[in-house]
Amino acid sequence: MSATVIGNKSIKELLDKYTFAQSFLEQNNLVIDGKEHLTMKEYLASFTVEEAEDMALDPHTILMGFEEYIQQMLSFLGEDKSDVESLTINAGKDKTGKQESFGSFTIKTGEIIAIVGPTGSGKSRLLGDIEWVAQRDTPTSREILINGEKPDFKWRFSTSDKLVAQLSQNMNFVMDLTVAEFLDLHAESRMVENKKDIIEKIITCANDLAGEKFERELPITSLSGGQSRALMISDTAILSKSPIILIDEIENAGIDRKKALSFLLSQDKIVLMATHDPMLALLGDKRIVIKNGGIHKIIETTKEERSMLKEIEAVDQKVQNLRASLRQGEILKPESFN
Amino acid sequence: MNLVTVSGPPSSGKTAVILKTIESYQKQEISVGVIKFDCLYTDDDIVYEKAGIKVRKGLSGGLCPDHYFVSNIEEAFAWGQKENFDVLISESAGLCNRCSPYIKDIKAICVIDNLSGINTPRKIGPMLKSADIVVITKGDIVSQAEREVFASRVSMVNPKAIVMHVNGLTGQGSFELGTLLYDKKLDTDNLKGKELRFSMPSALCSYCLGEKRIGADYQMGNVRKINLEK
Ligand SMILES: Nc1nc2c(ncn2[C@@H]2O[C@H](COP(=O)(O)OP(=O)(O)OP(=O)(O)O)[C@@H](O)[C@H]2O)c(=O)[nH]1
Ligand SMILES: Nc1ncnc2c1ncn2[C@@H]1O[C@H](COP(=O)(O)OP(=O)(O)OP(=O)(O)O)[C@@H](O)[C@H]1O
Ligand SMILES: [Mg+2]
Ligand SMILES: [Mg+2]
């Protein structure tokens, strides 16, 4: 549908046909009350020159924008929701210009890949390559394929349809809203249908991950660090359409990290995680070792490592128990460690 | 030479984003200069100089900074040509959210940050609505959900724009932004006759001209009264 077609439809017709058009009018501060019968063009023409100047309103731009918005929403709503099944990294060059030796590496949904390497080695650059679906046009000259094919460039620029969701270390909530209001807002921007159920599900899962439970009516800014992380993970896993999740080290405090990861995987995501924590690194199926800007090695977690994982988890569990005891105001004794 | 106009609310991260983007050009040997427009004060010129970037600044003082921009951009452009830049970037702080220093056929970038609140996109006029690229900064501080909600609000007021996330501290996303900024084919010889994308307000009242006294007797020109009735 072109801008002229939209311009010639009555506002009522547009709102009936495209329920999402309401938010466009709202966000552009266009008050319709009682003018639904006008066509969009008539409505925009109903402002005097002075009013239009006051509102900094350009009818042509609004019409063009409205058309673009409707097109974007239609294609967003019409899309198959889970169309990413694999991600392939084709080798590029390290910082000295030397060819990376791994050839090609494919990650499938449901896999966890850890990324390890010293500071400045190029971990973030690798994550950046994935987010930008690099086509040999970044400093590393790597190429990223989706489902084995050259990707659609929509991944680079779409706001509703990002390839990658990120959870990073020092994230916070800054909005002045309760947990429920906040999730409602997010669900709205994602255009989900069964909003209520989804919000309940997110809160339940978040409470399952968090050390301490929280209420839906609590302001998000007053959640503890652990609760915030739990809510972010639960929300990202359930509401974000992005098939790939990048994690910059999930902090230990107040959240069950193993549960969090398996929860993300249960939502058919690909998880890439920069970490130095042995438990998390070994939870991954494979780990990418970065050195000097290049992928130096790709190591599959060995059987032996997996068996060590049990011990590491046991130690981790003990520390968690100690933490829980401290929280409860108990006095720790040597036997608390058993 | 390419001209790129960068605008955005104060402290939204314009300088940080421009610096990181220029850094990503260094290997490609693209030479970039910056002209900074502000109202009362800026030390951005020092920041750019420190990074080895040629810079000039203009303070509008008692004038509207965007009016000042239009009246001086031609001279700034000539300076850039004399310096043989491939790209001249103008940075200006949008102060009243009404105006924008964007010129037709000249790339326009609006930098806005995630911390400014989800109702901010609808409060900003042409500076946001008529930009070609909207760069959202400070994503490192907020949750994925907040980034998504914020970006969707930006897209709603400017559906045609490319919306990108750039981290002004680490530079994540700046290389990618850089690939969208410079295009040899978009070289311009001069600005004469080019037009602003959106007209500036027609306000001109006695206070614009230096009047200080309060009272109806002293108000002349384009005066409008507030309506306090319900
Ligand atoms: N955490 C974080 N801080 C940022 C980011 N981008 C910019 N900043 C910080 O925000 C502050 C303001 O950034 P500037 O680049 O000076 O902002 P500006 O828009 O140029 O400001 P004026 O030119 O004074 O209007 C600085 O302290 C930056 O370090 C970002 O992505 N994340
Ligand atoms: N293959 C490469 N070729 C050229 N430059 C590279 C390459 N890989 C990384 N770089 C550059 O090296 C710098 C450091 O990389 P990066 O920020 O990704 O490191 P990091 O491992 O994330 O570090 P930290 O642990 O401190 O976060 C960046 O400027 C990045 O663009
Ligand atoms: Mg990094
Ligand atoms: Mg600045």
Side-chain angles (χ1 to χ4, degrees):
Chain A
M1 188 155 44
S2 73
T4 12
V5 177
I6 285 174
N8 290 328
K9 284 206 189 291
S10 82
I11 294 177
K12 181 169 183 321
E13 229 178 311
L14 288 171
L15 287 176
D16 285 348
K17 193 158 177 205
Y18 311 114
T19 44
F20 51 77
Q22 183 76 39
S23 352
F24 178 89
L25 297 173
E26 250 169 54
Q27 290 305 314
N28 283 284
N29 306 321
L30 298 171
V31 182
I32 303 297
D33 287 350
K35 293 183 181 160
E36 289 83 357
H37 59 284
L38 296 180
T39 67
M40 197 59 201
K41 254 192 197 145
E42 287 166 346
Y43 170 73
L44 289 170
S46 74
F47 294 102
T48 63
V49 175
E50 219 177 44
E51 282 169 335
E53 193 196 304
D54 273 359
M55 297 168 66
L57 180 86
D58 175 10
H60 180 69
T61 311
I62 290 277
L63 264 189
M64 302 289 283
F66 202 15
E67 185 217 342
E68 179 77 27
Y69 172 73
I70 289 177
Q71 300 291 9
Q72 284 172 7
M73 286 321 280
L74 288 178
S75 78
F76 172 67
L77 292 170
E79 257 159 36
D80 182 10
K81 301 288 175 198
S82 61
D83 53 1
V84 173
E85 276 150 22
S86 74
L87 166 80
T88 302
I89 305 168
N90 286 334
K93 295 181 165 57
D94 73 7
K95 282 188 197 174
T96 60
K98 211 176 115 223
Q99 181 73 21
E100 291 174 312
S101 61
F102 66 96
S104 176
F105 177 48
T106 297
I107 309 167
K108 298 200 177 62
T109 48
E111 281 188 315
I112 303 180
I113 307 295
I115 301 172
V116 297
T119 301
S121 58
K123 298 183 294 291
S124 300
R125 187 59 255 165
L126 173 61
L127 300 182
D129 286 349
I130 294 171
E131 190 169 13
W132 187 242
V133 286
Q135 295 299 303
R136 308 219 178 272
D137 58 354
T138 65
T140 63
S141 317
R142 291 188 189 112
E143 181 185 41
I144 304 293
L145 304 179
I146 304 290
N147 298 337
E149 289 169 15
K150 273 205 190 302
D152 190 331
F153 273 104
K154 74 169 187 195
W155 293 119
R156 283 194 177 178
F157 300 123
S158 164
T159 43
S160 48
D161 237 359
K162 283 233 160 286
L163 182 63
V164 163
Q166 285 209 36
L167 293 166
S168 63
Q169 191 72 267
N170 52 349
M171 266 188 203
N172 268 301
F173 289 111
V174 295
M175 288 180 194
D176 194 11
L177 297 170
T178 65
V179 170
E181 286 167 344
F182 170 75
L183 292 175
D184 190 80
L185 195 67
H186 190 202
E188 183 136 347
S189 82
R190 309 296 325 166
M191 297 279 150
V192 297
E193 277 154 24
N194 43 346
K195 219 161 61 172
K196 251 194 141 143
D197 299 345
I198 292 209
I199 292 174
E200 278 321 307
K201 188 172 161 201
I202 295 172
I203 296 178
T204 313
C205 292
N207 270 316
D208 192 35
L209 300 178
E212 283 178 70
K213 311 265 168 268
F214 57 89
E215 295 292 323
R216 48 183 294 138
E217 297 309 327
L218 209 63
I220 45 174
T221 46
S222 69
L223 296 177
S224 71
Q227 290 169 328
S228 300
R229 272 187 289 277
L231 182 61
M232 273 178 215
I233 289 174
S234 170
D235 168 89
T236 301
I238 296 173
L239 263 182
S240 280
K241 224 182 104 187
S242 312
I244 301 175
I245 298 193
L246 305 181
I247 302 178
D248 210 342
E249 191 89 39
I250 318 182
E251 261 180 70
N252 209 343
I255 176 168
D256 185 335
R257 293 179 299 173
K258 196 178 171 194
K259 235 189 210 170
L261 283 177
S262 62
F263 176 60
L264 285 171
L265 293 185
S266 69
Q267 306 295 316
D268 276 339
K269 308 273 186 190
I270 291 175
V271 177
L272 287 129
M273 175 175 61
T275 185
H276 303 115
D277 183 307
M279 183 178 100
L280 290 181
L282 297 188
L283 274 175
D285 301 286
K286 289 171 193 155
R287 59 184 184 274
I288 295 177
V289 185
I290 310 246
K291 207 169 158 181
N292 205 5
I295 294 182
H296 173 60
K297 264 192 213 168
I298 298 169
I299 299 175
E300 201 153 334
T301 310
T302 65
K303 267 213 179 98
E304 196 176 28
E305 283 177 327
R306 281 230 192 276
S307 64
M308 284 175 60
L309 184 57
K310 287 228 168 59
E311 283 168 60
I312 299 173
E313 275 170 21
V315 172
D316 190 72
Q317 189 57 50
K318 281 178 190 168
V319 177
Q320 303 262 10
N321 292 346
L322 293 179
R323 191 174 284 133
S325 308
L326 281 177
R327 275 213 196 95
Q328 299 300 325
E330 288 164 21
I331 308 279
L332 302 185
K333 299 207 182 71
E335 54 271 28
S336 322
F337 202 67
N338 293 320
Chain B
M1 184 178 72
N2 273 202
L3 173 64
V4 176
T5 52
V6 176
S7 183
S11 299
S12 57
K14 300 176 291 293
T15 304
V17 167
I18 293 170
L19 282 172
K20 290 291 177 188
T21 309
I22 295 178
E23 224 173 84
S24 78
Y25 279 152
Q26 268 154 9
K27 278 184 208 116
Q28 302 168 60
E29 294 180 7
I30 297 172
S31 80
V32 188
V34 174
I35 168 89
K36 165 76 194 209
F37 289 96
D38 216 315
C39 189
L40 293 177
Y41 173 81
T42 184
D43 50 16
D44 279 357
D45 49 328
I46 300 168
V47 179
Y48 285 117
E49 251 159 26
K50 251 196 187 148
I53 297 160
K54 284 194 183 152
V55 60
R56 289 288 183 274
K57 74 171 162 184
L59 292 179
S60 63
L63 289 178
C64 156
D66 286 317
H67 282 85
Y68 180 77
F69 169 90
V70 207
S71 347
N72 287 288
I73 190 62
E74 206 183 355
E75 287 80 354
F77 191 85
W79 167 71
Q81 283 176 315
K82 208 178 72 208
E83 296 282 346
N84 264 323
F85 297 138
D86 296 308
V87 190
L88 175 66
I89 298 180
S90 79
E91 176 190 336
S92 29
L95 299 174
C96 68
N97 288 341
R98 165 62 174 74
C99 291
S100 70
Y102 304 146
I103 302 166
K104 286 182 186 159
D105 305 322
I106 298 289
K107 203 157 278 170
I109 298 177
C110 178
V111 178
I112 173 172
D113 75 77
N114 269 303
L115 297 179
S116 58
I118 45 167
N119 284 320
T120 297
R122 64 193 285 187
K123 291 184 202 159
I124 304 181
M127 181 167 85
L128 177 62
K129 292 182 180 167
S130 62
D132 300 312
I133 301 175
V134 179
V135 170
I136 306 178
T137 57
K138 305 187 191 177
D140 52 312
I141 313 182
V142 304
S143 63
Q144 172 71 19
E146 281 168 286
R147 281 199 302 266
E148 283 178 12
V149 172
F150 194 82
S152 90
R153 293 270 165 112
V154 166
S155 274
M156 232 177 268
V157 297
N158 188 349
K160 285 199 169 302
I162 289 176
V163 178
M164 300 188 69
H165 291 268
V166 176
N167 183 321
L169 296 183
T170 64
Q172 192 183 347
S174 59
F175 173 85
E176 289 78 2
L177 175 64
T179 62
L180 304 178
L181 287 200
Y182 176 63
D183 185 349
K184 188 104 189 64
K185 286 192 286 277
L186 294 181
D187 269 350
T188 308
D189 294 335
N190 71 73
L191 298 180
K192 214 181 180 77
K194 286 208 187 290
E195 273 180 48
L196 285 174
R197 295 193 183 191
F198 205 89
S199 62
M200 308 245 164
S202 57
L204 191 64
C205 68
S206 39
Y207 297 107
C208 299
L209 298 172
E211 179 61 74
K212 284 181 178 167
R213 292 165 298 179
I214 292 171
D217 288 352
Y218 310 111
Q219 296 166 355
M220 282 179 316
N222 199 338
V223 175
R224 186 174 314 151
K225 289 303 188 181
I226 185 172
N227 180 1
L228 296 171
E229 301 299 316
K230 261 278 177 185

